[in-house]
Amino acid sequence: MIAGRIGAPVRALVRRSPRLNAALWDTQYALGFWGYLDEAGDGAMPLSLIETWAPHPKILDLGCGTSANLALSPGRYRHYHGVDISRRAIETARSLNRPDASYAVADIRAYVPPDRYDAVLLREVIYYLSVAEAADLLRRLPGLLTTRGRILVQIYDVQRSRQFVEVIRDCGLDVATWLPPEAGDGASDAFFVLAPAAVAES
Ligand SMILES: C[S@@+](CC[C@H](N)C(=O)[O-])C[C@H]1O[C@@H](n2cnc3c(N)ncnc32)[C@H](O)[C@@H]1O
């Protein structure tokens, strides 16, 4: 109970420091906390969703983790660039030897990628940032997109996915597509496709 009460503020403090934050994530990967994500069965979904607006896309995956759960068939994407604060996660990602891929160990709150992308992915990562940090990042992302580019956000938690809609309203982005989680026990993740306000579909 007490651990639960102090846990959240301590985590918030740690996350303010990129070095401590990186160490925290590295430790979690070392302890195998996130191993189950590698087995997650819905990895093909992001690519088929991206192909609805950008066939053969150039993809930036922010907070990519090991990326092992992201099915990217060779030939169906132009380039994949994965970024994560955990060196350990990126080592695993590199060991997958994905073709046409590059990686960076970096804090996405400050990271400036080398290119523009058809899809910027934020899969199960946005809620590890404070609301202000998430809003800051979302405001920067349109500058990283190609003319056909969009942002894909994945959130497993129904409550958090509803709160997220409030956050994006202020960020110059429109929700082009929102696939809410299914109701009931078999709830799946929510997916948001975000576009700069001027190009969003009505
Ligand atoms: C729950 S895991 C999700 C990993 C992957 N996107 C997936 O869906 O399987 C969250 C990831 O976000 C990364 N992360 C958290 N805060 C970050 C930050 N400020 N900069 C870069 N990566 C971050 C963590 O290292 C971790 O790999």
Side-chain angles (χ1 to χ4, degrees):
M1 178 89 162
I2 291 175
R5 275 200 202 140
I6 61 171
V10 168
R11 279 196 298 276
L13 266 179
V14 165
R15 283 179 183 135
R16 266 183 222 158
S17 153
R19 286 177 70 174
L20 284 178
N21 198 17
L24 179 70
W25 282 102
D26 270 338
T27 305
Q28 291 176 60
Y29 276 103
L31 293 173
F33 283 9
W34 299 106
Y36 76 93
L37 279 182
D38 293 351
E39 314 301 328
D42 59 354
M45 163 65 161
L47 184 57
S48 44
L49 192 51
I50 294 165
E51 286 174 331
T52 62
W53 75 85
H56 203 229
K58 222 189 285 182
I59 300 169
L60 172 65
D61 192 357
L62 295 175
C64 63
T66 69
S67 81
N69 59 8
L70 184 64
L72 289 178
S73 317
R76 275 177 62 188
Y77 63 99
R78 198 151 18 124
H79 191 81
Y80 171 84
H81 186 59
V83 182
D84 202 281
I85 201 165
S86 164
R87 188 169 298 280
R88 195 172 265 270
I90 290 297
E91 273 166 17
T92 305
R94 286 202 168 103
S95 74
L96 301 174
N97 291 320
R98 228 189 260 286
D100 302 309
S102 53
Y103 301 91
V105 177
D107 188 328
I108 60 172
R109 293 173 292 186
Y111 181 68
V112 180
D115 206 346
R116 286 179 177 248
Y117 300 87
D118 303 311
V120 176
L121 312 187
L122 286 164
R123 299 179 304 123
E124 309 298 1
V125 65
I126 196 90
Y127 42 84
Y128 292 109
L129 308 183
S130 70
V131 171
E133 289 168 345
D136 243 33
L137 178 61
L138 289 172
R139 287 196 189 97
R140 272 197 303 121
L141 292 186
L144 309 182
L145 296 174
T146 60
T147 48
R148 65 175 183 166
R150 295 192 170 193
I151 300 152
L152 176 56
V153 183
Q154 182 176 354
I155 299 178
Y156 80 96
D157 182 301
V158 181
Q159 190 56 30
R160 280 176 162 158
S161 70
R162 294 210 180 97
Q163 288 164 354
F164 177 68
V165 176
E166 302 299 318
V167 175
I168 59 174
R169 286 213 171 107
D170 248 8
C171 295
L173 294 165
D174 281 333
V175 179
T177 308
W178 178 11
L179 304 175
E182 292 155 17
D185 290 344
S188 58
D189 296 11
F191 290 91
F192 296 87
V193 178
L194 309 180
V199 301
E201 292 155 358
S202 55

